[in-house]
Every structure is written in structure tokens, then in C-alpha cells.
């Protein structure tokens, strides 16, 4: 039996107890296993650091976009081979539409990114095919933050990231970005 993901269905369990002298009568019970959907997992710090969050991102005023996740960030879904979407969202936009999130998607990967300047929300979703969970993971590893404001608002930024399999959404993982002027 594969204990990690048992085949759904009933099982007969028979039990006897021995007290050192006599065996009890055998008792039978039926145990039914059913499938459950586990939520995906997003780990921005990757395999090299504990926890789901990432706090190493630094953005310097006037610089190019910076990576805001570990190069070994992880997306896992133990019971689905694909996802419905991956979402990254700036929790605040003090520099309004000057702040952006983006990812690099190779043309061979059937995903697209949609960025909403008003909300600071980047959504990565299927496009023209069925992407694997590994496709989402490779794209997540390219998540970048950019700010084109002439004068940065000094507050640090937080980006929350989730993934969904269409039924369940992962726990929130957060990237903490330090801004340097």
C-alpha cells in the first residue's frame, strides 16, 4: 500500500488481542479511504532556507528590476499535475503605477502573465496549453519587482504570493523588499 496516497476504497481490518494467556475473538471493521485534494505549496525561500517567506530582496532607486524570490523557490502540488493560477500582489502601492511586478515566461511554456497597475496584482495563468506545476515553479523563480519613481517612497514593500489548483489556494508566502534610495 502506498501510504502517501492510498487507493480510494474500502478495506477490511481484522483485529485480535492477546493478553498473554488467551486470544480474544476476532473483530472486523471496514475502513474506507477517500481522495482529498491538498492545497498547493509556495515556498519563496526555496530549499536552502526554512519557512515560506523571502526577505533577501533589495531594490535600489534607479536600478533595474530585482529578483524577489530565491533562485530555488518551490511550487508543489502533491495531487495535481497543473495549477489554475499563480498570483503575486504588492500589498501597498505608495508609488502607484511606478511599481510593477513581472516574470519571464519562455515562449515554449504555455503560460501568460497579466499585471493590473491599479492593484499591483500579477497573475500567471495557462495560455495555449496545459502547463505543469514545474512550469509554474520555473516562472516563479523569475519574479521581479521594479519601481520607476523619481523619488522612492521609503516604506519597504511586501509581495504576497499564492497558487491555486482551481479548488484550493496555497497558504500565503511573502517576499519582503527593502528599498534603498
Amino acid at each position: 500500500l502506498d501510504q502517501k496516497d492510498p487507493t480510494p476504497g474500502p478495506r477490511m481490518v481484522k483485529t485480535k488481542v492477546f493478553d498473554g494467556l488467551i486470544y480474544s475473538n476476532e473483530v472486523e471493521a471496514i475502513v474506507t479511504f477517500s481522495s482529498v485534494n491538498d492545497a498547493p505549496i509556495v515556498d519563496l525561500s526555496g530549499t536552502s532556507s526554512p519557512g515560506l517567506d523571502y526577505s533577501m530582496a533589495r531594490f535600489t532607486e534607479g536600478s533595474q528590476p530585482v529578483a524577489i524570490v530565491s533562485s530555488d523557490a518551490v511550487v508543489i502540488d502533491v495531487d495535481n499535475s497543473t495549477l489554475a493560477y499563480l498570483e503575486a500582489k504588492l500589498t501597498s502601492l505608495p508609488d502607484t503605477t511606478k511599481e510593477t511586478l513581472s516574470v519571464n515566461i519562455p515562449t515554449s511554456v504555455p503560460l501568460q502573465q497579466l499585471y493590473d497597475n491599479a492593484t499591483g496584482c500579477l497573475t500567471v495563468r495557462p495560455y495555449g496549453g496545459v502547463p505543469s506545476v514545474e512550469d509554474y515553479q520555473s516562472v516563479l523563480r523569475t519574479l521581479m519587482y521594479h519601481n520607476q519613481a523619481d523619488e522612492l517612497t521609503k516604506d519597504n514593500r511586501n509581495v504576497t504570493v499564492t497558487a491555486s489548483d482551481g479548488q484550493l489556494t496555497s497558504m500565503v508566502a511573502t517576499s519582503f523588499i527593502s528599498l534603498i534610495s
Side-chain angles (χ1 to χ4, degrees):
L1 217 210
D2 180 358
Q3 295 173 350
K4 181 178 174 190
D5 193 16
T7 305
R11 309 279 195 288
M12 175 67 70
V13 178
K14 297 178 182 183
T15 306
K16 273 196 230 186
V17 178
F18 181 65
D19 67 3
L21 299 172
I22 307 172
Y23 283 95
S24 69
N25 293 332
E26 188 173 81
V27 177
E28 295 180 355
I30 295 177
V31 178
T32 302
F33 290 84
S34 56
S35 297
V36 296
N37 182 24
D38 294 311
I41 297 170
V42 175
D43 182 350
L44 303 181
S45 64
T47 57
S48 58
S49 299
L52 303 177
D53 300 332
Y54 184 73
S55 60
M56 302 298 292
R58 309 274 183 274
F59 180 81
T60 302
E61 185 176 351
S63 70
Q64 296 298 311
V66 295
I68 60 170
V69 300
S70 172
S71 61
D72 64 347
V74 176
V75 178
I76 300 169
D77 194 324
V78 297
D79 49 15
N80 291 292
S81 60
T82 189
L83 297 173
Y85 64 85
L86 178 77
E87 182 178 277
K89 183 171 181 157
L90 281 154
T91 58
S92 66
L93 292 164
D95 292 329
T96 63
T97 59
K98 301 286 186 183
E99 300 185 73
T100 58
L101 298 173
S102 63
V103 291
N104 291 319
I105 302 175
T107 56
S108 61
V109 175
L111 289 169
Q112 69 176 346
Q113 63 179 309
L114 304 166
Y115 185 70
D116 184 338
N117 279 327
T119 63
C121 185
L122 172 73
T123 304
V124 177
R125 66 179 191 191
Y127 179 75
V130 181
S132 67
V133 173
E134 292 79 14
D135 289 334
Y136 281 93
Q137 177 176 276
S138 67
V139 168
L140 172 65
R141 290 176 175 176
T142 71
L143 182 59
M144 293 178 286
Y145 168 81
H146 194 220
N147 189 326
Q148 296 177 320
D150 292 332
E151 284 290 321
L152 292 180
T153 303
K154 304 283 190 266
D155 298 334
N156 291 335
R157 305 298 192 272
N158 297 335
V159 176
T160 58
V161 180
T162 57
S164 174
D165 62 16
Q167 294 179 336
L168 297 174
T169 301
S170 67
M171 291 177 41
V172 172
T174 304
S175 179
F176 301 96
I177 308 166
S178 299
L179 271 65
I180 304 163
S181 53

